[in-house]
Amino acid sequence: MNHWKKSDPKFRHQLMMLLLPDERWFILKLPSIRTKEETQQMSLSSSTSIIWKNQSAQQRYESLEEVRSKIQTSVDDAAATRRALVHIEAEMRLLSLEYNQPDYSAQIGFALGFLFMLGVNIIYWYPSLLQLGAYLTILSTFHFMEYNYVWKFHPKLLSHDSFLLNHSTEYIFAMSFSFVEFLVEWYFLPWLKLNRIIMLVGIILSVGGQILRSVAMWTAGSNFHHLVREQKEEGHTLVTDGIYQYFRHPSYVGHFYWAVGTQLFITNPICTLAFAYYLWNWFNDRITREEKYLIKENFGDAYIEYKKHVGAGLPGIVGYQGK
């Protein structure tokens, strides 16, 4: 029996908690930031010698620093121990170099709250711009719910990125263009914005899509991630109950209909078609890629069997076809 098995059970538990799936997000980002050789050559500084701009990153670094010290002095050179040290030191480097940045969650939260109340006031004081006001409240609610989910189920990953406001350049462009299209058409083609049937369909899709996505995320709990998990993770279970009895990817279904519904509600014909086309292709690619890892790296035959009985949820999307 090696020293690892003889070591203090409380310490072993502490180490394993540090290596749980939620704590290994840094591995996904590491290859895209630096090569393995460059990473290994970087020396680790003491927490007290680093000028910290992010308190969460500092606290995380200090906890890893303490555990790293215990491992080096208390545990032998077993393979599992070496892997643990590599992972811990890699995260420490990322925390000090890449994630030691100011967090703007408070500012973004304030801005979203301001936009929400601006939308409410527009609805009340400017009835002719009711669609614009409601659109602001719908957008603000969506991003707040994304942040709230991470706060509940992945609190140690919480940052201003959890709002999903800056997840892609395409998203920022699409949202910006949707406002431009609405205002241009509202000014030059006001009759286009008066179709109450289309507005009704749009608000039903957007509200229904938001509810579906939120229910899906909370049903999956910590098993849901904003990023595709490409490796097997301890504690990751296949969720097949609740809303997952009806759709394999209910959060994507909800997101799709929410986005398309918002454009129908504000009667943006160009954005409605563009959103539907782009999002269908984006989710088709993501579902195919995600299911490849779910089958090959995670659940194997269990997921294949689940896939036989439950559809992806979006028309025409069948998902990964391999084994």
Side-chain angles (χ1 to χ4, degrees):
M1 183 179 292
N2 61 31
H3 187 71
W4 165 259
K5 294 181 180 179
K6 293 180 180 178
S7 59
D8 178 33
K10 183 177 180 181
F11 168 62
R12 291 205 309 271
H13 176 72
Q14 182 182 14
L15 175 60
M16 292 310 297
M17 288 299 291
L18 284 165
L19 295 177
L20 284 175
D22 287 354
E23 312 306 328
R24 295 189 304 161
W25 50 270
F26 59 91
I27 299 175
L28 299 176
K29 292 181 175 288
L30 185 61
S32 63
I33 296 174
R34 289 183 175 83
T35 65
K36 181 179 179 181
E37 292 73 18
E38 289 174 330
T39 303
Q40 291 176 341
Q41 290 173 2
M42 288 186 291
S43 60
L44 288 171
S45 302
S46 169
S47 176
T48 56
S49 65
I50 299 174
I51 300 176
W52 290 102
K53 303 175 184 177
N54 187 298
Q55 186 177 12
S56 296
Q58 179 183 3
Q59 292 174 347
R60 177 69 179 155
Y61 189 96
E62 290 173 350
S63 66
L64 288 172
E65 191 174 39
E66 180 180 354
V67 173
R68 174 173 171 263
S69 177
K70 288 182 179 180
I71 293 176
Q72 291 174 329
T73 58
S74 304
V75 184
D76 63 7
D77 197 31
T81 302
R82 291 197 301 272
R83 287 196 299 270
L85 281 172
V86 168
H87 291 172
I88 289 173
E89 291 176 357
E91 182 177 1
M92 291 174 70
R93 290 185 178 95
L94 284 180
L95 286 168
S96 63
L97 296 170
E98 303 295 336
Y99 290 89
N100 186 23
Q101 304 295 332
D103 186 85
Y104 299 104
S105 294
Q107 292 87 336
I108 293 175
F110 175 83
L112 287 176
F114 175 81
L115 289 177
F116 183 92
M117 291 309 302
L118 177 62
V120 171
N121 277 274
I122 290 175
I123 293 171
Y124 185 80
W125 294 105
Y126 303 96
S128 64
L129 287 173
L130 178 146
Q131 290 162 292
L132 178 63
Y135 188 37
L136 289 173
T137 63
I138 291 170
L139 285 177
S140 301
T141 300
F142 174 83
H143 290 291
F144 169 76
M145 293 301 292
E146 296 299 305
Y147 184 89
N148 192 52
Y149 163 78
V150 179
W151 166 79
K152 173 65 177 178
F153 293 103
H154 302 289
K156 292 182 180 178
L157 302 181
L158 196 65
S159 73
H160 57 257
D161 290 332
S162 302
F163 285 105
L164 285 193
L165 278 166
N166 60 341
H167 67 83
S168 70
T169 303
E170 292 84 357
Y171 178 78
I172 295 174
F173 174 80
M175 289 296 104
S176 300
F177 187 81
S178 70
F179 281 101
V180 172
E181 181 186 357
F182 174 82
L183 292 173
V184 169
E185 292 172 352
W186 174 79
Y187 186 82
F188 292 102
L189 303 169
W191 56 268
L192 189 63
K193 303 299 179 184
L194 301 176
N195 193 315
R196 296 187 180 275
I197 295 178
I198 295 178
M199 288 173 59
L200 179 61
V201 172
I203 196 65
I204 291 173
L205 286 177
S206 59
V207 173
Q210 176 67 74
I211 293 173
L212 178 59
R213 179 169 172 84
S214 296
V215 168
M217 293 164 64
W218 283 66
T219 299
S222 61
N223 295 294
F224 179 88
H225 294 274
H226 283 141
L227 298 175
V228 173
R229 272 8 193 193
E230 299 180 356
Q231 297 177 343
K232 175 66 176 178
E233 296 184 344
E234 184 178 346
H236 186 194
T237 59
L238 178 59
V239 180
T240 60
D241 59 351
I243 195 66
Y244 287 85
Q245 299 177 72
Y246 310 104
F247 310 111
R248 295 200 307 273
H249 301 279
S251 65
Y252 298 162
V253 176
H255 195 168
F256 177 86
Y257 286 112
W258 170 84
V260 174
T262 60
Q263 301 312 300
L264 282 173
F265 174 70
I266 61 177
T267 54
N268 275 0
I270 297 175
C271 279
T272 297
L273 295 175
F275 276 38
Y277 175 80
Y278 177 82
L279 285 172
W280 187 93
N281 283 281
W282 192 86
F283 281 123
N284 183 44
D285 177 72
R286 181 174 176 117
I287 288 172
T288 301
R289 184 164 56 94
E290 182 174 333
E291 291 191 338
K292 176 182 177 181
Y293 295 115
L294 288 172
I295 293 172
K296 289 183 174 293
E297 304 294 338
N298 289 272
F299 306 114
D301 291 339
Y303 192 87
I304 293 175
E305 188 64 23
Y306 171 61
K307 188 173 180 288
K308 290 179 181 178
H309 301 287
V310 181
L314 290 172
I317 295 181
V318 296
Y320 182 67
Q321 294 298 293
K323 292 184 179 180

